[in-house]
Amino acid sequence: MKLFEVKIFHILTVVLLTSEATLRPIESDRYHNYDSLTQLLHEYATAYPHITQLFSVGQSVENRELWVMRITDNPDMQEPGEPMFKYVANMHGNEAVGREIVIYLIQYLCDSYGRDDRISGLVNSTDIYIMPSMNPDGFERAIIGDCGGVTGRNNANNVDLNRDFPDQFDAQPRSRPRQLETEALINWITSNSFVLSGNLHGGSLVGSYPFDDSALHKSGFYSRSPDDDIFKALTLVYSRSHSTMHLGRGCPQYSESFPNGITNGAQWYDVPGGMQDYNYLHSNCFEVTFELSCCKYPQVDNLPTEWNNNREALIAFIEQVHRGVSGFVTDINGQPIPNATIQVHGIDHTVKSASFGDYWRLLVAGTYTLTVTADGYEPRTVSGVIVTNSTGTMLNFTLFHNNKPLQPTKFLHHSNEKLEEFLHLYASKYPSITRLYSIGKSVEGIDLWVMEISDNPGIHELGEPEFKYIANMHGNEVTGRETLLLLIQYLCENYGGVTSVTQLIDNTRIHIMPTMNPDGYKKAREGDVSSVTGRYNAEGVDLNRDFPDRLNRNKKSRQPETKAVIKWLKEYPFVLSANLHNGALVANYPYDSTDSRNTLSRPAYSRCPDDDIFQQVSLVYSMAHPRMHLGESCPNMVESFPNGITNGADWYSIVGGMQDYNYVETNCFEITIEQGCQKFPWASQLHEIWEENRGALLRFIQEVHRGVKGFVKDANGVPVLNAKIMVVGRDHDITATAEGEYWRLLVPGDYQLLVSAPGYHSQLIQNVSVSDGDAVQVNFTLIASSAARSASSRVKVYILGSLAVVIILALVVMSMIVVHRRGYRLSQLHKRCLPPYPCFSNTSDDDSLLKDTDFSEKPEETI
């Protein structure tokens, strides 16, 4: 059940041992170079497949495998409750004694299993890992018989591997990447739940325990760890089991002595970047360094003596992995709870439960109080726990669910392909609260993905504000990219289980874009501190200089990524936003550019009309971050930032930045957050970075709900189009949506709000009191203006007048037709009374002539 990638070797052709019934003699007549070591390890892995597993955790600079032999009774599985132990030797290539004696140890454990009760019991109850050489390249260069030299000490890149690990007292960014061997060990250590470890060296005769250095970085200073008591006890076990180490004589050539053969590392000499401190601070593992011989690379005939001196100590030290307290952490259904925190009261150091909920806590004899906590569960405390020096104490914990949030447990960098896979996974797992959509494509055709998180994804709910995060605008600035993926995971996994998360999602439409520059990311490199490799998009354009400028100083065609974001901003009524970068540790607010027409103008505070609210929301993020608010500058910078915030142009002026465009061209208030000094930190740093930014990311989203909000409608309750909401005294308006909604961020205080719209009387509301809590709701009802009513009346009069004219004309025409027809008929009647026609006096005949025309209601004079 390993969480890291290893190479398991299935041996096809090997030199087999003749019989497991015959003990093979320890090969102490020669040193094993890389080839002979490899051959021997393969032989033992094949001869003892039921208790061994051979694998490599990585390769050296010169491509030699970093072999590890696992020895346990079930090597093909991880057994619940079985502690993991490791020995690492030959970290310094010319310190060869440790390399050879752990080779002998491998032989001894394998050959004695099933024959020696003590060894059999140890292998059956312990998961043992032995790495004979962490620096095989250096060993190949070392010189036999060289007792005090440095030839072969460092790796093939001439780096001291025991100065190459992250150091607790050194916050300076690294000038070079970590070595392959170091990275391999870091991944191995952090991917497993090792409990105890020994790091074997040469050049003295002493056991050295943490801490190996101090903030003073000077020798002779005792640098005490929280577990100083157990470290001394563990180191004494080895020293007292060693034939001569316990005498404390040290080495004559150095005129040094060590009481009982042990010493605090830093008190002896300062070692920054050492492996034993890294084990203790970044994993569950307690590691001690043992200097095994005064001569680093003695002649071969000394090896039997060294083996005899160390054999019992090596076994006795492994047995110490079972001391202290151990057990399981489960829920009420008996399901394991991994990653639970075990805290011993009075000792400022915790360990975590492993994948089966099992844990191990090394302690000296005494009575203790232990508290176990886990995300999503109520804490559990047990007092009066008795620990002896003879056998370990078993103590199990059962935890009950609560509303505490679940936390991500995997921290790694995501390629563009893995990022897309991650987003699709969470969109499919949580369809009721997520919607995955693309706003466009990069120059190289990669989708610009956005994850929407809301209780009604895909729908804009009336009155609900919209928020966005954008990261990785500069392709080599990657912290935001990874913390936003972790934020997506955190929000999804805790919705419905954690009240604060559920309320945030129910009341906010959240949009998260993990990368705006996927093309640049492909070129960036892990470990980059301050370069520009991968910063720009595929066309070599800095996307944070590509937006339209408020003074129209950068007229040019826009990049596809920029166009996509601009279109996106116009489609959604965003209220608040943050753009996540790297290269400093500060929250940066508008304006980013000065008012100078010179695009290369010198830094100067460029105040926007909403300077106070921008300072407020920037402080919210800074103060929620454990270090940002301290205002410390990065090592490569001279600036410092009071309270961890700065006006953009006062830091340095840029033209065409995205945050200014948001503020000037949309309703959205955006700030830029620089999340760390290193642009592309190592994956091993991501957990700490997430812990530092998690609370700040969540707290900043909540700021979208501050200030004033409401609706603008007419007297009939219809939304008023193009309504402008103005804060009297501030030269920055916002526009209501098509539904009449508005959100206006403001700091606490009393305000006057003025709303206007074409065709309506403006409405002024005074004494609007804004608190530090949720936004106050202020609705507006606009009345159509008199000019609008007059215009409406004029239209009505014009229409009615036109209709009247048409009617009159129609009547005139009809009258003319009637007169014409009557005149014609009368003329025909008159003709009948003239000679030679007789004149008729019968009126009925007249009526018959006029039967087509009704004059009954029309007097003749009217006609």
Side-chain angles (χ1 to χ4, degrees):
M1 295 182 62
K2 291 196 175 303
L3 302 178
F4 61 99
E5 183 178 355
V6 298
K7 300 177 181 177
I8 306 295
F9 291 82
H10 301 279
I11 312 304
L12 299 178
T13 304
V14 294
V15 179
L16 296 179
L17 302 185
T18 58
S19 170
E20 200 172 314
T22 303
L23 285 177
R24 178 173 177 169
I26 299 296
E27 295 180 357
S28 60
D29 59 341
R30 62 190 175 98
Y31 282 100
H32 294 79
N33 63 16
Y34 176 76
D35 291 336
S36 61
L37 169 64
T38 300
Q39 179 180 344
L40 184 144
L41 293 175
H42 281 91
E43 290 174 7
Y44 269 79
T46 303
Y48 297 94
H50 58 297
I51 60 169
T52 65
Q53 182 186 67
L54 180 62
F55 61 90
S56 170
V57 298
Q59 292 182 322
S60 67
V61 173
E62 294 179 342
N63 298 316
R64 293 182 174 92
E65 300 294 342
L66 303 179
W67 295 116
V68 174
M69 180 69 88
R70 181 186 184 193
I71 303 175
T72 187
D73 61 335
N74 287 296
D76 295 324
M77 63 178 291
Q78 198 81 39
E79 292 188 71
E82 188 167 281
M84 298 177 67
F85 176 94
K86 64 180 169 69
Y87 274 127
V88 176
N90 201 211
M91 185 182 201
H92 292 147
N94 65 332
E95 298 173 12
V97 171
R99 175 188 175 108
E100 290 304 309
I101 67 167
V102 296
I103 293 173
Y104 306 158
L105 179 63
I106 290 170
Q107 295 177 279
Y108 184 76
L109 293 175
C110 290
D111 293 338
S112 299
Y113 183 76
R115 301 174 183 85
D116 184 294
D117 290 342
R118 181 187 184 195
I119 299 302
S120 298
L122 185 62
V123 172
N124 288 340
S125 62
T126 317
D127 202 1
I128 303 168
Y129 297 77
I130 300 174
M131 176 183 285
S133 181
M134 181 184 166
N135 186 4
D137 298 348
F139 179 80
E140 296 298 310
R141 293 177 174 82
I143 303 169
I144 190 169
D146 183 0
C147 288
V150 294
T151 302
R153 173 186 177 90
N154 297 342
N155 76 341
N157 286 333
N158 198 30
V159 174
D160 187 333
L161 298 179
N162 207 29
R163 307 295 189 278
D164 195 46
F165 283 78
D167 186 80
Q168 63 174 320
F169 301 112
D170 189 1
Q172 302 295 320
R174 295 175 60 82
S175 59
R176 55 173 170 76
R178 300 200 192 280
Q179 298 302 293
L180 293 177
E181 299 90 344
T182 310
E183 282 295 327
L185 266 292
I186 286 175
N187 290 333
W188 188 39
I189 291 165
T190 57
S191 299
N192 288 276
S193 296
F194 290 111
V195 180
L196 182 59
S197 174
N199 180 11
L200 307 184
H201 285 249
S204 187
L205 193 60
V206 67
S208 169
Y209 53 87
F211 289 124
D212 247 347
D213 71 336
S214 68
L216 299 176
H217 288 300
K218 68 176 184 178
S219 300
F221 179 83
Y222 197 113
S223 186
R224 190 183 307 275
S225 76
D227 281 293
D228 190 69
D229 288 343
I230 186 61
F231 272 118
K232 286 190 292 186
L234 293 167
T235 312
L236 278 169
V237 167
Y238 196 102
S239 173
R240 288 171 176 167
S241 301
H242 190 280
S243 300
T244 60
M245 187 183 292
H246 66 279
L247 300 175
R249 297 170 181 168
C251 297
Q253 65 267 38
Y254 301 122
S255 300
E256 55 191 4
S257 62
F258 306 100
N260 298 313
I262 68 171
T263 183
N264 173 263
Q267 189 176 37
W268 184 16
Y269 62 92
D270 193 82
V271 179
M275 185 166 68
Q276 75 172 10
D277 287 4
Y278 180 85
N279 272 270
Y280 179 66
L281 294 170
H282 296 276
S283 77
N284 285 343
C285 190
F286 287 47
E287 182 169 283
V288 178
T289 301
F290 297 107
E291 304 280 348
L292 302 181
S293 64
C294 293
C295 182
K296 294 181 180 179
Y297 199 160
Q299 295 295 334
V300 171
D301 57 8
N302 288 283
L303 292 178
T305 300
E306 296 298 348
W307 168 240
N308 290 329
N309 285 342
N310 286 277
R311 182 180 60 191
E312 174 57 26
L314 290 167
I315 301 300
F317 189 71
I318 296 174
E319 290 171 335
Q320 294 303 299
V321 77
H322 295 280
R323 73 181 299 163
V325 181
S326 63
F328 291 83
V329 183
T330 60
D331 65 15
I332 57 174
N333 298 314
Q335 295 299 307
I337 303 176
N339 211 39
T341 300
I342 294 85
Q343 173 75 62
V344 179
H345 291 212
I347 301 178
D348 188 22
H349 182 78
T350 61
V351 296
K352 301 282 189 179
S353 60
S355 57
F356 296 107
D358 38 3
Y359 76 93
W360 303 265
R361 196 9 169 136
L362 301 179
L363 292 166
V364 296
T367 302
Y368 297 91
T369 297
L370 278 70
T371 295
V372 175
T373 58
D375 293 330
Y377 297 87
E378 295 288 347
R380 176 81 187 280
T381 299
V382 176
S383 300
V385 180
I386 299 174
V387 174
T388 67
N389 285 330
S390 56
T391 58
T393 299
M394 176 68 74
L395 178 63
N396 296 327
F397 290 86
T398 299
L399 303 187
F400 295 86
H401 286 277
N402 69 2
N403 279 332
K404 286 192 175 181
L406 299 172
Q407 297 292 350
T409 58
K410 293 184 179 179
F411 302 90
L412 65 156
H413 288 294
H414 291 78
S415 66
N416 289 329
E417 294 76 17
K418 289 296 184 182
L419 179 145
E420 183 173 345
E421 181 181 315
F422 177 97
L423 293 175
H424 279 287
L425 172 65
Y426 274 84
S428 64
K429 285 179 66 176
Y430 300 94
S432 64
I433 60 168
T434 64
R435 178 177 68 103
L436 182 61
Y437 65 99
S438 171
I439 66 167
K441 293 182 182 292
S442 68
V443 172
E444 295 182 349
I446 300 175
D447 279 300
L448 303 178
W449 292 110
V450 176
M451 180 71 89
E452 176 191 338
I453 302 178
S454 170
D455 60 334
N456 285 295
I459 300 172
H460 172 73
E461 298 181 71
L462 284 179
E464 185 168 280
E466 308 220 5
F467 175 94
K468 64 180 168 70
Y469 272 129
I470 298 180
N472 202 210
M473 185 183 201
H474 291 149
N476 65 332
E477 299 176 11
V478 305
T479 294
R481 176 185 174 111
E482 297 304 332
T483 55
L484 289 189
L485 292 180
L486 292 167
L487 179 64
I488 290 170
Q489 178 182 350
Y490 180 92
L491 292 173
C492 290
E493 292 180 351
N494 287 295
Y495 180 76
V498 177
T499 302
S500 59
V501 172
T502 305
Q503 290 177 344
L504 187 64
I505 293 174
D506 284 347
N507 296 290
T508 320
R509 195 181 185 193
I510 303 166
H511 304 256
I512 298 176
M513 179 190 286
T515 178
M516 182 181 166
N517 186 3
D519 299 347
Y521 179 84
K522 290 195 299 183
K523 302 173 185 177
R525 292 293 176 265
E526 185 175 359
D528 181 12
V529 175
S530 59
S531 83
V532 295
T533 302
R535 175 186 178 92
Y536 309 113
N537 77 341
E539 295 288 344
V541 174
D542 187 330
L543 297 178
N544 208 29
R545 309 293 190 278
D546 194 47
F547 283 78
D549 178 64
R550 62 191 178 95
L551 299 179
N552 204 21
R553 289 170 289 191
N554 64 336
K555 299 178 181 179
K556 58 181 180 180
S557 60
R558 308 294 168 197
Q559 294 298 299
E561 299 91 344
T562 310
K563 290 179 181 178
V565 171
I566 289 174
K567 181 174 179 290
W568 185 40
L569 296 181
K570 293 178 179 178
E571 292 174 345
Y572 292 85
F574 294 117
V575 179
L576 182 61
S577 172
N579 179 14
L580 308 183
H581 285 247
N582 284 94
L585 192 61
V586 66
N588 165 17
Y589 55 88
Y591 288 129
D592 250 345
S593 64
T594 65
D595 292 335
S596 171
R597 288 286 174 180
N598 179 7
T599 58
L600 299 177
S601 60
R602 299 179 63 181
Y605 201 111
S606 186
R607 190 181 308 273
C608 75
D610 284 293
D611 189 73
D612 56 354
I613 185 61
F614 274 114
Q615 287 193 45
Q616 175 63 36
V617 296
S618 299
L619 278 169
V620 164
Y621 196 99
S622 173
M623 292 299 180
H625 191 285
R627 293 188 298 116
M628 187 180 291
H629 69 277
L630 301 176
E632 299 170 349
S633 62
C634 292
N636 57 338
M637 299 167 57
V638 296
E639 301 95 341
S640 60
F641 306 105
N643 297 317
I645 68 172
T646 184
N647 174 264
D650 197 35
W651 182 13
Y652 62 92
S653 180
I654 68 169
V655 172
M658 185 165 66
Q659 74 174 12
D660 285 7
Y661 179 83
N662 272 265
Y663 179 64
V664 173
E665 298 295 334
T666 77
N667 288 344
C668 188
F669 287 45
E670 179 171 282
I671 67 170
T672 300
I673 297 169
E674 304 276 349
Q675 287 188 317
C677 298
Q678 187 170 354
K679 294 190 174 182
F680 200 139
W682 297 99
S684 58
Q685 299 171 261
L686 291 177
H687 189 182
E688 181 180 359
I689 291 169
W690 163 247
E691 291 298 328
E692 288 183 335
N693 287 278
R694 180 188 66 202
L697 288 167
L698 293 167
R699 182 67 185 84
F700 186 76
I701 297 175
Q702 294 172 338
E703 289 300 290
V704 77
H705 294 283
R706 74 159 53 241
V708 182
K709 65 179 181 180
F711 292 85
V712 182
K713 297 182 179 181
D714 66 13
N716 297 314
V718 178
V720 175
L721 297 178
N722 300 316
K724 297 288 185 182
I725 295 88
M726 294 161 274
V727 178
V728 176
R730 290 179 185 243
D731 187 21
H732 184 78
D733 307 336
I734 60 170
T735 304
T737 68
E739 290 78 20
E741 310 154 285
Y742 78 92
W743 302 265
R744 206 337 174 157
L745 300 180
L746 291 167
V747 299
D750 294 326
Y751 297 92
Q752 299 179 64
L753 300 184
L754 179 66
V755 174
S756 62
Y760 294 87
H761 285 295
S762 298
Q763 183 180 4
L764 176 67
I765 296 183
Q766 303 188 45
N767 300 321
V768 176
S769 182
V770 174
S771 70
D772 198 30
D774 289 340
V776 59
Q777 180 142 348
V778 179
N779 297 326
F780 292 86
T781 301
L782 299 188
I783 307 300
S785 63
S786 58
R789 289 197 301 271
S790 298
S792 178
S793 299
R794 285 195 296 272
V795 170
K796 291 178 181 178
V797 170
Y798 175 79
I799 292 173
L800 292 174
S802 298
L803 288 172
V805 170
V806 170
I807 292 170
I808 292 171
L809 288 175
L811 290 172
V812 169
V813 171
M814 289 177 64
S815 299
M816 291 176 66
I817 292 172
V818 170
V819 169
H820 174 74
R821 292 183 65 182
R822 181 169 180 78
Y824 172 78
R825 294 182 181 275
L826 288 174
S827 66
Q828 294 298 315
L829 181 62
H830 180 67
K831 283 182 181 181
R832 295 177 63 183
C833 294
L834 293 177
Y837 304 106
C839 185
F840 297 96
S841 60
N842 193 328
T843 58
S844 64
D845 291 336
D846 290 335
D847 292 340
S848 68
L849 292 174
L850 303 176
K851 63 181 179 183
D852 292 332
T853 307
D854 181 11
F855 293 106
S856 61
E857 296 182 0
K858 297 181 177 65
E860 198 170 296
E861 58 268 22
T862 303
I863 298 174

